[in-house]
Amino acid sequence: MKILKNIYFYLIILLFGVIGCKKDNYTSPQSVLTGSVNYQGTSIGLRSNGVQLELWQHGYAFFSKIPIYVNQDGSFKATLFDGNYLLTRQRGIGPWIDNTDSISVTVKGNTVIDVPVTPYYLVKDATFQKSGSSIKCTINVSAITTSKALETVKLYLFKTALIDDQNQNASSSMAGSAITDLNQPLNMSVNIPSSLTNEEAIYARVGVKTVGVTELAYSSPQRISLK
């Protein structure tokens, strides 16, 4: 009887070993989906990992979403299995009009897709200049849709290019209610804080916030030499 129990014990160990080997032999995903969130072909500047897209795969009764976080330059990347997916934009997340229509995506090998959005406001361009102990900026803001009011325009300084509303050493803001004509350039400045004065260079960026929308739309970070 003891011998029979030992045989059962070793058979169970062997069975789990075989199952473990099968799991180890599963092929990992190899295809890469890349793209950008953009308006009329131009990527939207964002807070890094502040906006998330959702990817769902067809053909499963029970499945969970694959989150795809968007980089600060509006680009994204995901490694996936080949197949048919649905990509969705979350409601109330990005600095654009809600559009929850799904985008059909067929992933086969390296696949590229653009995710179109309609922002409320965009920073068309921003130029920065060191002036004494401050950074001055000239900004052009474009109103894509005025269904929501412009809340603020913000100028940020940071020690690295990963700069946004949550990663900054200094900032200044201009209330949207104080802006009478968006067809005219806006002028802003911000003092360089003592924590940055010994740096070789710092980074500046402008963001525009819409009333009732959490995330901002940003300009590209720009490196400014201090030496």
Side-chain angles (χ1 to χ4, degrees), residues 15-151:
L15 177 62
F16 279 110
V18 171
I19 293 172
C21 288
K22 286 184 177 180
K23 287 183 178 179
D24 290 340
N25 290 331
Y26 284 152
T27 303
S28 60
Q30 299 293 325
S31 296
V32 177
L33 175 67
T34 57
S36 67
V37 177
N38 64 71
Y39 172 67
Q40 295 183 347
T42 300
S43 295
I44 308 295
L46 299 168
R47 177 172 64 90
S48 184
N49 294 332
V51 173
Q52 177 185 310
L53 304 174
E54 295 180 347
L55 204 62
W56 306 81
Q57 189 166 21
H58 292 288
Y60 291 90
F62 302 99
F63 57 92
S64 59
K65 71 178 180 181
I66 302 171
I68 300 178
Y69 289 95
V70 184
N71 300 316
Q72 72 170 9
D73 63 355
S75 66
F76 57 85
K77 180 179 180 180
T79 302
L80 305 164
F81 290 107
D82 285 351
N84 296 318
Y85 296 84
L86 288 178
L87 188 148
T88 61
R89 291 149 289 195
Q90 291 182 303
R91 183 182 296 276
I93 298 298
W96 44 69
I97 296 174
D98 284 336
N99 184 347
T100 54
D101 291 344
S102 298
I103 300 172
S104 295
V105 182
T106 299
V107 175
K108 188 174 183 180
N110 293 336
T111 305
V112 179
I113 184 171
D114 287 335
V115 179
V117 295
T118 303
Y120 294 100
Y121 299 90
L122 283 180
V123 181
K124 290 177 60 179
D125 55 73
T127 57
F128 306 92
Q129 181 181 359
K130 181 178 180 294
S131 177
S133 60
S134 66
I135 299 297
K136 292 186 176 181
C137 180
T138 301
I139 310 153
N140 287 287
V141 176
S142 179
I144 308 302
T145 174
T146 56
S147 57
K148 289 181 181 289
L150 177 63
E151 183 175 317

Side-chain angles (χ1 to χ4, degrees), residues 187-198:
N187 295 304
M188 297 180 66
S189 66
V190 59
N191 290 329
I192 302 170
S194 58
S195 59
L196 296 180
T197 53
N198 291 325

